[in-house]
Amino acid sequence: MLRNVLSRLVTESVRVHHHVNPAPFKLTLTACRGSVRNFAEVKDEVQTPFNSTLLEVLVCPLSKKPLRYDADTNELINEELGIAYPIVDGIPNMIPQEARLLQKEEPSPSKPAE
């Protein structure tokens, strides 16, 4: 049975190959070469907005605590652990390895009581 299938496959591919004219395909490919755009230089100026209703269901994957949205940095902040999850194209990246550690503000040194 395998021999019959292989022989039919080879026979059919040979028939198709003899009936296909490859010249039109070459013409269309060469015509498209000049119209290809380079998207490396294109930058998105508009950020996709974050849907704040997601904050009702999203929690930190590490502490299971609610998160706070910071519009200035476009991140979800976990105050307890001091980490920020980035939002890319309106989608929160909740992978702990991708989170940024926040620098906690040090209290100003006060003079010891004498």
Side-chain angles (χ1 to χ4, degrees), residues 74-87:
N74 199 29
E75 294 174 325
L76 295 176
I77 309 292
N78 181 336
E79 299 287 343
E80 182 179 288
L81 297 179
I83 55 177
Y85 296 99
I87 298 173

Side-chain angles (χ1 to χ4, degrees), residues 5-65:
V5 171
L6 289 175
S7 66
R8 274 194 267 162
L9 181 65
V10 169
T11 314
E12 292 297 321
S13 63
V14 169
R15 284 186 202 162
V16 170
H17 183 67
H18 287 296
H19 295 292
V20 173
N21 184 7
F25 295 114
K26 288 181 183 176
L27 290 176
T28 57
L29 287 176
T30 55
C32 292
R33 281 187 188 163
S35 64
V36 175
R37 265 183 85 181
N38 183 5
F39 288 102
E41 297 173 4
V42 177
K43 295 189 177 162
D44 291 335
E45 295 295 325
V46 178
Q47 287 185 351
T48 307
F50 174 67
N51 187 355
S52 60
T53 57
L54 288 175
L55 287 175
E56 297 173 6
V57 293
L58 287 178
V59 295
C60 177
L62 298 174
S63 67
K64 310 298 188 246
K65 301 287 183 183

